[in-house]
PDB file of all heavy atoms in Angstrom:
ATOM      1  N   ALA A 347      25.880 -13.116  -6.788  1.00  0.00           N
ATOM      2  CA  ALA A 347      25.687 -11.872  -6.082  1.00  0.00           C
ATOM      3  C   ALA A 347      25.305 -12.013  -4.637  1.00  0.00           C
ATOM      4  O   ALA A 347      24.399 -12.817  -4.282  1.00  0.00           O
ATOM      5  CB  ALA A 347      24.602 -11.037  -6.783  1.00  0.00           C
ATOM      6  N   PRO A 348      25.948 -11.287  -3.692  1.00  0.00           N
ATOM      7  CA  PRO A 348      25.599 -11.398  -2.286  1.00  0.00           C
ATOM      8  C   PRO A 348      24.339 -10.562  -1.952  1.00  0.00           C
ATOM      9  O   PRO A 348      23.710 -10.823  -0.939  1.00  0.00           O
ATOM     10  CB  PRO A 348      26.827 -10.811  -1.579  1.00  0.00           C
ATOM     11  CG  PRO A 348      27.458  -9.923  -2.555  1.00  0.00           C
ATOM     12  CD  PRO A 348      27.185 -10.528  -3.907  1.00  0.00           C
ATOM     13  N   ILE A 349      23.993  -9.627  -2.817  1.00  0.00           N
ATOM     14  CA  ILE A 349      22.829  -8.790  -2.579  1.00  0.00           C
ATOM     15  C   ILE A 349      21.963  -8.842  -3.836  1.00  0.00           C
ATOM     16  O   ILE A 349      22.437  -8.538  -4.951  1.00  0.00           O
ATOM     17  CB  ILE A 349      23.173  -7.337  -2.245  1.00  0.00           C
ATOM     18  CG1 ILE A 349      24.000  -7.308  -0.935  1.00  0.00           C
ATOM     19  CG2 ILE A 349      21.906  -6.475  -2.113  1.00  0.00           C
ATOM     20  CD1 ILE A 349      24.484  -5.911  -0.589  1.00  0.00           C
ATOM     21  N   VAL A 350      20.689  -9.178  -3.640  1.00  0.00           N
ATOM     22  CA  VAL A 350      19.734  -9.252  -4.750  1.00  0.00           C
ATOM     23  C   VAL A 350      18.543  -8.400  -4.413  1.00  0.00           C
ATOM     24  O   VAL A 350      18.101  -8.385  -3.261  1.00  0.00           O
ATOM     25  CB  VAL A 350      19.296 -10.716  -5.064  1.00  0.00           C
ATOM     26  CG1 VAL A 350      18.275 -10.783  -6.184  1.00  0.00           C
ATOM     27  CG2 VAL A 350      20.511 -11.590  -5.343  1.00  0.00           C
ATOM     28  N   THR A 351      17.991  -7.700  -5.399  1.00  0.00           N
ATOM     29  CA  THR A 351      16.812  -6.899  -5.141  1.00  0.00           C
ATOM     30  C   THR A 351      15.819  -7.029  -6.274  1.00  0.00           C
ATOM     31  O   THR A 351      16.186  -7.131  -7.449  1.00  0.00           O
ATOM     32  CB  THR A 351      17.187  -5.403  -4.904  1.00  0.00           C
ATOM     33  OG1 THR A 351      16.021  -4.651  -4.574  1.00  0.00           O
ATOM     34  CG2 THR A 351      17.869  -4.795  -6.132  1.00  0.00           C
ATOM     35  N   GLY A 352      14.535  -7.072  -5.903  1.00  0.00           N
ATOM     36  CA  GLY A 352      13.481  -7.253  -6.903  1.00  0.00           C
ATOM     37  C   GLY A 352      12.182  -7.597  -6.205  1.00  0.00           C
ATOM     38  O   GLY A 352      12.080  -7.495  -4.949  1.00  0.00           O
ATOM     39  N   PHE A 353      11.176  -7.972  -6.988  1.00  0.00           N
ATOM     40  CA  PHE A 353       9.872  -8.259  -6.408  1.00  0.00           C
ATOM     41  C   PHE A 353       9.794  -9.628  -5.825  1.00  0.00           C
ATOM     42  O   PHE A 353       9.324  -9.823  -4.710  1.00  0.00           O
ATOM     43  CB  PHE A 353       8.829  -8.124  -7.501  1.00  0.00           C
ATOM     44  CG  PHE A 353       7.446  -8.660  -7.142  1.00  0.00           C
ATOM     45  CD1 PHE A 353       6.791  -8.255  -5.985  1.00  0.00           C
ATOM     46  CD2 PHE A 353       6.845  -9.620  -7.938  1.00  0.00           C
ATOM     47  CE1 PHE A 353       5.563  -8.744  -5.646  1.00  0.00           C
ATOM     48  CE2 PHE A 353       5.610 -10.132  -7.584  1.00  0.00           C
ATOM     49  CZ  PHE A 353       4.968  -9.701  -6.433  1.00  0.00           C
ATOM     50  N   SER A 354      10.303 -10.655  -6.547  1.00  0.00           N
ATOM     51  CA  SER A 354      10.142 -12.029  -6.024  1.00  0.00           C
ATOM     52  C   SER A 354      11.295 -12.911  -6.530  1.00  0.00           C
ATOM     53  O   SER A 354      11.972 -12.597  -7.533  1.00  0.00           O
ATOM     54  CB  SER A 354       8.841 -12.585  -6.463  1.00  0.00           C
ATOM     55  OG  SER A 354       8.769 -12.743  -7.887  1.00  0.00           O
ATOM     56  N   MET A 355      11.461 -13.992  -5.830  1.00  0.00           N
ATOM     57  CA  MET A 355      12.344 -15.099  -6.255  1.00  0.00           C
ATOM     58  C   MET A 355      11.618 -16.375  -5.949  1.00  0.00           C
ATOM     59  O   MET A 355      10.976 -16.526  -4.900  1.00  0.00           O
ATOM     60  CB  MET A 355      13.661 -15.038  -5.500  1.00  0.00           C
ATOM     61  CG  MET A 355      14.590 -13.924  -5.856  1.00  0.00           C
ATOM     62  SD  MET A 355      16.153 -13.962  -4.932  1.00  0.00           S
ATOM     63  CE  MET A 355      16.892 -15.448  -5.581  1.00  0.00           C
ATOM     64  N   SER A 356      11.734 -17.351  -6.872  1.00  0.00           N
ATOM     65  CA  SER A 356      11.102 -18.659  -6.605  1.00  0.00           C
ATOM     66  C   SER A 356      11.961 -19.394  -5.575  1.00  0.00           C
ATOM     67  O   SER A 356      13.136 -19.062  -5.324  1.00  0.00           O
ATOM     68  CB  SER A 356      11.008 -19.468  -7.890  1.00  0.00           C
ATOM     69  OG  SER A 356      12.337 -19.806  -8.332  1.00  0.00           O
ATOM     70  N   THR A 357      11.364 -20.453  -4.996  1.00  0.00           N
ATOM     71  CA  THR A 357      12.087 -21.264  -4.026  1.00  0.00           C
ATOM     72  C   THR A 357      13.355 -21.869  -4.666  1.00  0.00           C
ATOM     73  O   THR A 357      14.422 -21.911  -4.023  1.00  0.00           O
ATOM     74  CB  THR A 357      11.175 -22.394  -3.488  1.00  0.00           C
ATOM     75  OG1 THR A 357      10.029 -21.784  -2.900  1.00  0.00           O
ATOM     76  CG2 THR A 357      11.882 -23.252  -2.491  1.00  0.00           C
ATOM     77  N   GLU A 358      13.208 -22.293  -5.900  1.00  0.00           N
ATOM     78  CA  GLU A 358      14.353 -22.882  -6.610  1.00  0.00           C
ATOM     79  C   GLU A 358      15.457 -21.841  -6.815  1.00  0.00           C
ATOM     80  O   GLU A 358      16.644 -22.171  -6.708  1.00  0.00           O
ATOM     81  CB  GLU A 358      13.921 -23.417  -7.957  1.00  0.00           C
ATOM     82  CG  GLU A 358      12.977 -24.649  -7.878  1.00  0.00           C
ATOM     83  CD  GLU A 358      11.582 -24.285  -7.422  1.00  0.00           C
ATOM     84  OE1 GLU A 358      11.139 -23.060  -7.607  1.00  0.00           O
ATOM     85  OE2 GLU A 358      10.857 -25.158  -6.893  1.00  0.00           O
ATOM     86  N   GLU A 359      15.076 -20.610  -7.167  1.00  0.00           N
ATOM     87  CA  GLU A 359      16.105 -19.557  -7.316  1.00  0.00           C
ATOM     88  C   GLU A 359      16.826 -19.269  -6.025  1.00  0.00           C
ATOM     89  O   GLU A 359      18.019 -19.028  -5.990  1.00  0.00           O
ATOM     90  CB  GLU A 359      15.433 -18.321  -7.894  1.00  0.00           C
ATOM     91  CG  GLU A 359      15.015 -18.422  -9.360  1.00  0.00           C
ATOM     92  CD  GLU A 359      14.234 -17.227  -9.785  1.00  0.00           C
ATOM     93  OE1 GLU A 359      13.485 -16.590  -8.983  1.00  0.00           O
ATOM     94  OE2 GLU A 359      14.346 -16.878 -11.002  1.00  0.00           O
ATOM     95  N   VAL A 360      16.036 -19.235  -4.933  1.00  0.00           N
ATOM     96  CA  VAL A 360      16.675 -18.954  -3.638  1.00  0.00           C
ATOM     97  C   VAL A 360      17.656 -20.070  -3.268  1.00  0.00           C
ATOM     98  O   VAL A 360      18.782 -19.820  -2.826  1.00  0.00           O
ATOM     99  CB  VAL A 360      15.577 -18.876  -2.509  1.00  0.00           C
ATOM    100  CG1 VAL A 360      16.233 -18.761  -1.146  1.00  0.00           C
ATOM    101  CG2 VAL A 360      14.675 -17.682  -2.777  1.00  0.00           C
ATOM    102  N   GLU A 361      17.278 -21.318  -3.502  1.00  0.00           N
ATOM    103  CA  GLU A 361      18.125 -22.432  -3.150  1.00  0.00           C
ATOM    104  C   GLU A 361      19.428 -22.446  -3.991  1.00  0.00           C
ATOM    105  O   GLU A 361      20.456 -22.909  -3.575  1.00  0.00           O
ATOM    106  CB  GLU A 361      17.382 -23.768  -3.365  1.00  0.00           C
ATOM    107  CG  GLU A 361      16.258 -23.942  -2.323  1.00  0.00           C
ATOM    108  CD  GLU A 361      15.367 -25.124  -2.646  1.00  0.00           C
ATOM    109  OE1 GLU A 361      15.467 -25.675  -3.780  1.00  0.00           O
ATOM    110  OE2 GLU A 361      14.549 -25.520  -1.761  1.00  0.00           O
ATOM    111  N   ALA A 362      19.328 -21.895  -5.221  1.00  0.00           N
ATOM    112  CA  ALA A 362      20.496 -21.910  -6.085  1.00  0.00           C
ATOM    113  C   ALA A 362      21.401 -20.711  -5.800  1.00  0.00           C
ATOM    114  O   ALA A 362      22.542 -20.683  -6.241  1.00  0.00           O
ATOM    115  CB  ALA A 362      20.036 -21.831  -7.556  1.00  0.00           C
ATOM    116  N   ALA A 363      20.877 -19.719  -5.035  1.00  0.00           N
ATOM    117  CA  ALA A 363      21.669 -18.512  -4.803  1.00  0.00           C
ATOM    118  C   ALA A 363      22.542 -18.681  -3.543  1.00  0.00           C
ATOM    119  O   ALA A 363      22.286 -18.113  -2.491  1.00  0.00           O
ATOM    120  CB  ALA A 363      20.728 -17.315  -4.635  1.00  0.00           C
ATOM    121  N   ALA A 364      23.563 -19.499  -3.695  1.00  0.00           N
ATOM    122  CA  ALA A 364      24.365 -19.892  -2.539  1.00  0.00           C
ATOM    123  C   ALA A 364      25.114 -18.740  -1.856  1.00  0.00           C
ATOM    124  O   ALA A 364      25.397 -18.797  -0.644  1.00  0.00           O
ATOM    125  CB  ALA A 364      25.367 -20.939  -2.949  1.00  0.00           C
ATOM    126  N   ASN A 365      25.400 -17.683  -2.611  1.00  0.00           N
ATOM    127  CA  ASN A 365      26.147 -16.559  -2.056  1.00  0.00           C
ATOM    128  C   ASN A 365      25.282 -15.364  -1.598  1.00  0.00           C
ATOM    129  O   ASN A 365      25.794 -14.352  -1.196  1.00  0.00           O
ATOM    130  CB  ASN A 365      27.197 -16.058  -3.081  1.00  0.00           C
ATOM    131  CG  ASN A 365      28.210 -17.089  -3.375  1.00  0.00           C
ATOM    132  OD1 ASN A 365      28.845 -17.635  -2.470  1.00  0.00           O
ATOM    133  ND2 ASN A 365      28.417 -17.362  -4.666  1.00  0.00           N
ATOM    134  N   MET A 366      23.951 -15.542  -1.695  1.00  0.00           N
ATOM    135  CA  MET A 366      23.085 -14.417  -1.399  1.00  0.00           C
ATOM    136  C   MET A 366      22.925 -14.198   0.112  1.00  0.00           C
ATOM    137  O   MET A 366      22.406 -15.043   0.827  1.00  0.00           O
ATOM    138  CB  MET A 366      21.694 -14.685  -2.034  1.00  0.00           C
ATOM    139  CG  MET A 366      20.714 -13.545  -1.826  1.00  0.00           C
ATOM    140  SD  MET A 366      19.163 -13.718  -2.748  1.00  0.00           S
ATOM    141  CE  MET A 366      18.549 -15.306  -2.112  1.00  0.00           C
ATOM    142  N   ASP A 367      23.389 -13.067   0.611  1.00  0.00           N
ATOM    143  CA  ASP A 367      23.273 -12.709   1.995  1.00  0.00           C
ATOM    144  C   ASP A 367      22.043 -11.857   2.303  1.00  0.00           C
ATOM    145  O   ASP A 367      21.558 -11.855   3.426  1.00  0.00           O
ATOM    146  CB  ASP A 367      24.515 -11.967   2.472  1.00  0.00           C
ATOM    147  CG  ASP A 367      25.776 -12.795   2.387  1.00  0.00           C
ATOM    148  OD1 ASP A 367      25.662 -14.027   2.750  1.00  0.00           O
ATOM    149  OD2 ASP A 367      26.817 -12.289   1.994  1.00  0.00           O
ATOM    150  N   LEU A 368      21.593 -11.105   1.301  1.00  0.00           N
ATOM    151  CA  LEU A 368      20.480 -10.155   1.513  1.00  0.00           C
ATOM    152  C   LEU A 368      19.601 -10.112   0.276  1.00  0.00           C
ATOM    153  O   LEU A 368      20.107  -9.947  -0.839  1.00  0.00           O
ATOM    154  CB  LEU A 368      21.031  -8.762   1.781  1.00  0.00           C
ATOM    155  CG  LEU A 368      19.978  -7.614   1.826  1.00  0.00           C
ATOM    156  CD1 LEU A 368      18.984  -7.815   2.961  1.00  0.00           C
ATOM    157  CD2 LEU A 368      20.692  -6.270   1.960  1.00  0.00           C
TER     158      LEU A 368
END
Side-chain angles (χ1 to χ4, degrees):
I349 298 176
V350 179
T351 184
F353 168 56
S354 66
M355 289 181 66
S356 68
T357 302
E358 294 73 24
E359 287 174 329
V360 174
E361 292 172 347
N365 295 309
M366 182 171 59
D367 295 321
L368 171 64

